[in-house]
Amino acid sequence: MVKRYLVGIFAIALGLSLLVLGCGTVVEPEATSVVTTTTTTTTTSTITTTTTTTSTTTSTIPDTTPPNITSVNPADGATGIARTGITLQATFDEDMDPATIDSTSFTVDCPLGVPVTGTVAYDLGTKTATFTPDNYLSYGVPYIVTVHSSVTDLAGNPLVADYMWIFTTADISFSSEIVEDGDGTSTSYGFYSSIALDNSDNVYIAHYDSKGLDLRFAYNDGSWNTSTLDHINNVGMHTSLAVSPAGEAHISYTYVNGADRRVRYITNTGGAWAIPTDINISPNTKFYTSIALDSSNYAHISFFEDCSGDLMYATNSIGGAWVQEIVDAGNVSEDTAIAVDQSDNVHIAYAYGLLGNKALNYITGAFGSWGGSEQVLAISGYKQCKDIALDSEGRVHISYYDKTLDQLRYATNSSGVWVDELVGVGYPGEDTSIAIDVYGGVHICFQENFTNTLMYATHAGGDWVVTTIDDVGYNQYCSLALGSDGRVHISYADSSTDDLIYVVSD
């Protein structure tokens, strides 16, 4: 509302008669400007002068209205969202202060409590803040997105409260293909299959031909290439494969010629496959090899010496020549699994005990310097260690089979103490393989013993979710690896068709 008023001022100064008449305008508080017009008349004895002056004064009322978010993408409650190539968006109803919109005020979390890292930006033209994840998101996982109340508009007004919404990524699905088609008479592929990827996500598989008694190798750089690497006598059982970032393959396996049983190693470092190297040529029986690479791409191998019951370790990281030693003497049993952390410390999981009572044990160290063996699970029943993996913090994760209870189980020291749990509802699962993603999510493939079904289990979302991959045939010897985009790669043997099969998540 505008109110007008008339102002009259009479004054006599220096003997002059002065008349001032004013006509002004007043604006209520919601207005932002005032216009004032002043007319002045001066009269002397001979001259009358009239002067009119108009001025405008602008005043700004402080902005105290908080900003609001008008839309988000993906929408709250959306499902089936892509895991890669995604950008999260929040659009405001007014211009925001870009300095307040960063990775501390725009956050994304997964149910495991691990924050998703990413790049945050703000577009002035569209009033939109964006979050672009640094890594892939996990399959079938609900993500919590928060724009915190610390973001402000240009006047410094913050959001009234944190703005949160949830979306869920697409569930996992798999596609498969035959890598090597066995004939069942002279060839039967995929036994003891071991899979690994390089930095470009090219796929490599080492495996044993149980009819030809050969060590086989397959790799895919756009199409599958297959070859025999070792074929004299019975070679290729207990195969384990590790691949360098540049794609150099390192394989450990067993050589059998009657009572002569050795651990062997072969690599194509330098471009061509080298002559196989016998790591251990003593007369004792060697089985269950496992291989891992350190940061300099030297090989580290654990294996089981049957006659003495010793856990053995061999490496070529000391001067390039192979050396070996006993890590734990006596009563060690069957499968071993090895991993090397970012500081090149070696971690080995294995079974320990006699007859039907075997504990799950773990030891860490380096050649000539091993810590004491830790008993992950006490001697109660028959434990078979199957695989080990390390997360980004160097914490240990083990998949194993409790033969007494006929259960696939999982153990970890990620909380600082060893914790053991069922995988899902307690599947009778052998031939397991484990990998850990960038968020600490666990991924396991296994053979379900009753039906010989190939299964996949994960608790990347906080609870175990188990998926059937192949329930036709006799599926065994699975191995699992994760790609840089979080895709799941699995190799296995279908013994009913004698084929090596490769599966990848879509």
Side-chain angles (χ1 to χ4, degrees):
M1 176 184 296
V2 178
K3 297 179 180 178
R4 306 190 64 84
Y5 68 98
L6 182 66
V7 179
I9 301 176
F10 297 89
I12 298 176
L14 299 177
L16 299 176
S17 175
L18 178 63
L19 173 64
V20 180
L21 298 176
C23 180
T25 302
V26 175
V27 181
E28 291 290 348
E30 66 267 24
T32 59
S33 63
V34 176
V35 179
T36 303
T37 303
T38 304
T39 302
T40 304
T41 301
T42 305
T43 302
T44 65
S45 59
T46 59
I47 301 174
T48 299
T49 303
T50 301
T51 303
T52 301
T53 303
T54 301
S55 63
T56 301
T57 302
T58 301
S59 61
T60 302
I61 303 301
D63 176 7
T64 59
T65 303
N68 291 303
I69 292 178
T70 58
S71 64
V72 295
N73 186 44
D76 186 23
T79 60
I81 302 302
R83 302 178 310 105
T84 59
I86 184 175
T87 297
L88 313 179
Q89 298 177 328
T91 301
F92 299 87
D93 63 352
E94 60 175 305
D95 292 331
M96 302 296 289
D97 181 358
T100 66
I101 300 176
D102 56 24
S103 59
T104 64
S105 60
F106 194 165
T107 61
V108 182
D109 295 279
C110 69
L112 293 178
V114 180
V116 178
T117 61
T119 302
V120 176
Y122 177 70
D123 184 270
L124 288 168
T126 61
K127 305 181 182 67
T128 299
T130 58
F131 182 104
T132 303
D134 291 336
N135 292 295
Y136 58 83
L137 303 181
S138 299
Y139 289 98
V141 168
Y143 285 87
I144 303 170
V145 189
T146 306
V147 178
H148 296 263
S149 59
S150 56
V151 301
T152 71
D153 61 17
L154 295 178
N157 299 307
L159 285 177
V160 173
D162 291 352
Y163 188 100
M164 302 175 63
W165 75 97
I166 298 176
F167 69 91
T168 302
T169 50
D171 291 334
I172 196 167
S173 60
F174 291 94
S175 57
S176 66
E177 61 180 308
I178 296 174
V179 178
E180 293 213 70
D181 187 0
D183 60 22
T185 301
S186 60
T187 57
S188 183
Y189 299 123
F191 282 62
Y192 302 104
S193 80
S194 182
I195 192 170
L197 279 66
D198 62 21
N199 268 7
S200 300
D201 286 346
N202 295 314
V203 181
Y204 304 77
I205 303 173
H207 62 107
Y208 173 60
D209 175 0
S210 67
K211 295 288 177 66
L213 308 181
D214 298 331
L215 173 66
R216 299 283 296 175
F217 180 73
Y219 74 94
N220 190 320
D221 56 1
S223 60
W224 286 106
N225 305 269
T226 61
S227 60
T228 296
L229 300 184
D230 197 353
H231 62 90
I232 298 176
N233 295 313
N234 185 357
V235 289
M237 288 190 293
H238 307 115
T239 311
S240 184
L241 168 68
V243 174
S244 73
E248 297 168 330
H250 304 252
I251 305 172
S252 65
Y253 57 102
T254 57
Y255 163 93
V256 178
N257 182 18
D260 183 7
R261 303 189 178 195
R262 311 174 183 179
V263 172
R264 273 192 172 176
Y265 164 81
I266 190 170
T267 182
N268 63 356
T269 300
W273 287 102
I275 297 173
T277 300
D278 289 322
I279 304 302
N280 186 308
I281 58 175
S282 65
N284 294 338
T285 301
K286 293 85 182 173
F287 283 127
Y288 305 105
T289 77
S290 181
I291 192 170
L293 302 181
D294 62 26
S295 60
S296 299
N297 295 322
Y298 287 111
H300 302 258
I301 300 173
S302 64
F303 60 96
F304 166 56
E305 194 164 82
D306 184 41
C307 294
S308 59
D310 296 335
L311 171 65
M312 301 295 297
Y313 164 73
T315 182
N316 63 354
S317 62
I318 303 174
W322 283 99
V323 293
Q324 62 177 310
E325 64 181 344
I326 297 173
V327 177
D328 197 350
N331 297 332
V332 172
S333 176
E334 300 177 348
D335 301 86
T336 72
I338 194 170
V340 179
D341 64 28
Q342 296 177 353
S343 299
D344 291 343
N345 298 308
V346 179
H347 305 256
I348 303 176
Y350 58 103
Y352 184 88
L354 294 173
L355 301 176
N357 289 313
K358 299 181 184 297
L360 178 63
N361 278 22
Y362 160 79
I363 194 168
T364 184
F367 186 83
S369 178
W370 295 94
S373 177
E374 299 179 32
Q375 195 172 83
V376 178
L377 294 168
I379 298 178
S380 175
Y382 193 152
K383 315 296 191 301
Q384 289 182 327
C385 170
K386 291 300 182 179
D387 203 8
I388 187 173
L390 306 176
D391 61 29
S392 59
E393 302 298 322
R395 296 168 298 204
V396 181
H397 305 258
I398 301 171
S399 62
Y400 73 97
Y401 174 55
D402 189 318
K403 192 170 184 177
T404 302
L405 299 177
D406 200 17
Q407 293 176 344
L408 170 64
R409 301 186 69 89
Y410 160 73
T412 180
N413 65 358
S414 59
S415 64
V417 296
W418 286 105
V419 176
D420 165 66
E421 64 182 84
L422 281 172
V423 174
V425 296
Y427 293 89
E430 287 191 279
D431 293 330
T432 77
S433 181
I434 189 172
I436 311 300
D437 65 31
V438 295
Y439 303 110
V442 180
H443 304 258
I444 298 174
C445 69
F446 64 97
Q447 170 197 352
E448 199 277 335
N449 295 350
F450 291 155
T451 61
N452 300 308
T453 297
L454 178 66
M455 310 285 285
Y456 163 77
T458 181
H459 77 353
D463 297 314
W464 286 107
V465 176
V466 180
T467 302
T468 296
I469 297 178
D470 188 348
D471 59 0
V472 177
Y474 195 109
N475 306 299
Q476 57 184 338
Y477 298 115
C478 71
S479 178
L480 182 150
L482 297 178
S484 61
D485 56 0
R487 298 175 76 191
V488 178
H489 302 255
I490 299 173
S491 63
Y492 66 100
D494 184 343
S495 300
S496 65
T497 59
D498 301 293
D499 297 335
L500 169 66
I501 300 180
Y502 164 70
V503 170
V504 63
S505 60
D506 297 323

